[in-house]
Amino acid sequence: SSSPADPGRVLALSWQVDDVEADERALVEETAAQADLDLDWVDCRDALPYANLARWPVHPSSPGQTPYRWFHQRVYERAASRGMTAVLTGFSGDSLYASARRWAWHLLAAEGLGPMIDRLREIATEIGWKRMIRSHVLSPLIPRGRSLLGDSPAPYLTQGAADLLYGRPLFPTDILTSRRPQQAKRLLALLDAQGGHRERYFLSHLGLDARTPLRDLDLVEFVLASPDHLLHQGSETRPVLRAAIRGLVPESVRLRKGK
């Protein structure tokens, strides 16, 4: 969040929970210290999914939303109380890295056989050679057409409902010609835009503006055009991001397992 009194100053807001597996306080504190950020903890230990439902904030035209609404709401309220004017959100981050199935073959083309084998060996150590070859070497070579988009009717739908939902033309109409159709579908989906609109509604009631840097047009175009191995490399997730933030965050954060 940015402060009107000092536009160069940033307040880092992070929620606090009791779950041991979700406790990232040490990583957050290291990052804030290295970046010289003011750090403000927001207590969300009692903000369970659908907690205090009688007071639940609801968007007037879109009742469906995150079950962790109180996490967001408490952060927004704290930012407003500290005199902030804008909040940076991380929405759409997962969509940037979706469906990089052919990473091993793209890594082979870009860096040669050695790096490809090294990465595949790491995966084989965890899941076995047979499964690794099937999942990461052979399966990505098999074209899957529209099924790649996950467009298959849910079993509980009536035939009429299924026809309405899944019989309509693809959007965009040429999405299957993209490098990663599933990724393109998620990045270009109207659902993500709707999610951003919902957050702006809740923020505006507190006098705050929402910024969604991960939906930046240049960034989206970059990842859509990037080869798979920049987005995923076996056991290493988001390699292009890890390379980009070298020196900007502590190494314990940059090289952590998972995202």
Side-chain angles (χ1 to χ4, degrees):
S1 305
S2 58
S3 167
D6 183 1
R9 195 65 184 162
V10 175
L11 171 69
L13 293 170
S14 187
W15 44 55
Q16 180 180 358
V17 295
D18 283 331
D19 192 320
V20 174
E21 294 184 5
D23 187 353
E24 299 185 337
R25 281 174 290 185
L27 297 174
V28 173
E29 288 169 349
E30 288 179 43
T31 303
Q34 179 165 320
D36 190 27
L37 302 175
D38 291 336
L39 180 59
D40 203 343
W41 290 102
V42 179
D43 190 351
C44 290
R45 287 173 292 186
D46 62 333
L48 301 177
Y50 302 113
N52 197 5
L53 198 56
R55 296 182 56 247
W56 194 262
V58 177
H59 190 288
S61 64
S62 181
Q65 56 179 290
T66 172
Y68 297 97
R69 170 51 56 198
W70 289 120
F71 277 46
H72 298 281
Q73 198 68 15
R74 290 185 183 184
V75 167
Y76 299 162
E77 290 172 357
R78 181 68 62 83
S81 72
R82 291 287 299 269
M84 302 295 112
T85 60
V87 172
L88 300 178
T89 75
F91 297 124
S92 302
D94 290 338
S95 303
L96 295 173
Y97 302 91
S99 193
R101 301 170 58 242
R102 295 167 295 177
W103 67 267
W105 294 106
H106 287 198
L107 184 61
L108 172 65
E111 300 185 21
L113 185 62
M116 175 191 181
I117 294 297
D118 288 343
R119 289 296 188 193
L120 292 174
R121 185 182 291 114
E122 293 176 6
I123 302 173
T125 301
E126 298 177 5
I127 66 176
W129 283 94
K130 184 177 180 180
R131 182 180 171 190
M132 180 277 293
I133 292 175
R134 182 177 68 250
S135 301
H136 295 273
V137 178
L138 299 180
S139 178
L141 298 178
I142 302 173
R144 297 193 294 187
R146 180 160 180 158
S147 64
L148 187 63
L149 298 177
D151 287 348
S152 55
Y156 53 79
L157 292 176
T158 64
Q159 187 59 49
D163 291 342
L164 287 173
L165 282 171
Y166 299 97
R168 64 190 189 282
L170 293 173
F171 174 81
T173 55
D174 60 347
I175 195 169
L176 291 178
T177 65
S178 59
R179 185 187 289 269
R180 287 172 294 273
Q182 181 64 45
Q183 178 199 42
K185 176 188 176 184
R186 293 181 62 179
L187 286 173
L188 302 176
L190 297 178
L191 189 63
D192 267 19
Q194 182 196 35
H197 169 72
R198 283 199 302 260
E199 294 310 310
R200 282 187 173 85
Y201 169 83
F202 294 112
L203 282 158
S204 66
H205 280 250
L206 296 168
L208 296 167
D209 185 24
R211 309 289 171 82
T212 52
L214 299 184
R215 285 187 61 81
D216 177 79
L217 178 60
D218 289 339
L219 177 61
V220 170
E221 290 180 340
F222 170 75
V223 297
L224 285 173
S226 296
D228 290 24
H229 74 285
L230 293 186
L231 309 181
H232 187 70
Q233 286 189 28
S235 58
E236 181 180 3
T237 60
R238 312 186 178 197
V240 68
L241 174 60
R242 294 179 191 273
I245 61 175
R246 187 188 303 274
L248 298 178
V249 300
E251 287 294 274
S252 59
V253 175
R254 192 178 74 86
L255 299 178
R256 64 174 298 185
K257 289 290 185 182
K259 65 180 181 179

